[in-house]
Amino acid sequence: MADPGITPLERAPSLGELALLQRAKALGFPLAPTWAVALEEEFYRLNNLPERIARLFSGVFGVRVDEERLLWAAEEAKRAIRESYLLPERAEAFLEALKGRGPFVVRALGREGLLAATPQEALFTLKRLWAEAFQVEAVLDRYPELLPPFTPYLVQEAGEVEEDPFLSLELLQALGEKVVAFAHRGLLVRVEWEHGG
């Protein structure tokens, strides 16, 4: 398959935090093994989720927000995502790329992540994060858009991360950008900066 949807950091698109992590790696900073996952748009399309979600939210936003219907629609949208499936070959490629590794941090760009012990759990966690895009607050924040922006998610071989002020200072000197670095056992995992994810 030409595009398995899961790409090592070196071959991932250079955008936002991904670009910062790529620059840090090129400068010799030790990074946790990182993959960019770009499967969400295809997942939505193949499961007819844009149309299904549009129907769920029909009548929610009018002259005023129908709060009761909004709560119901948000829960149903999350359920639709959790109950939908990736293409089997995409799931297999995901599991194969991470085989024999773990634990993982699974997260959106510029955000904290959720821990997953195994590749299979990382796949479930990815779908859980996609579903979180339909928390009521998230829906209201991006309205009038119903669907989240389809940006890559990161799967990183790491456990709990902590802010590392020394690494932050070293990155400031190397990148010329004020950042906050988070690491796991000395390996860079996440970079927060003023431009977000």
Side-chain angles (χ1 to χ4, degrees), residues 147-159:
L147 301 182
F150 297 128
T151 57
Y153 279 71
L154 297 182
V155 177
Q156 298 174 283
E157 190 174 15

Side-chain angles (χ1 to χ4, degrees), residues 135-153:
Q135 298 285 9
V136 169
E137 298 79 14
V139 172
L140 291 172
D141 282 347
R142 68 175 173 264
Y143 182 77
E145 297 295 325
L146 285 178
L147 301 182
F150 297 128
T151 57
Y153 279 71

Side-chain angles (χ1 to χ4, degrees), residues 56-145:
L56 289 172
F57 284 90
S58 176
V60 170
F61 300 101
V63 175
R64 65 173 193 81
V65 175
D66 183 335
E67 292 180 12
E68 189 173 306
R69 185 155 178 86
L70 172 61
L71 291 169
W72 174 83
E75 285 306 311
E76 288 300 306
K78 288 188 275 190
R79 188 165 66 83
I81 290 167
R82 286 192 306 267
E83 292 177 357
S84 295
Y85 294 95
L86 282 170
L87 283 173
E89 57 265 32
R90 298 295 196 201
E92 287 167 16
F94 182 97
L95 296 173
E96 185 61 33
L98 304 179
K99 187 176 180 178
R101 296 178 173 269
F104 304 98
V105 174
V106 184
R107 64 189 185 84
L109 294 178
R111 300 272 175 88
E112 291 183 30
L114 299 175
L115 294 176
T118 65
Q120 185 74 46
E121 195 177 316
L123 187 57
F124 293 144
T125 301
L126 183 65
K127 282 182 64 180
R128 197 165 123 206
L129 287 172
W130 290 346
E132 283 184 7
F134 286 93
Q135 298 285 9
V136 169
E137 298 79 14
V139 172
L140 291 172
D141 282 347
R142 68 175 173 264
Y143 182 77
E145 297 295 325

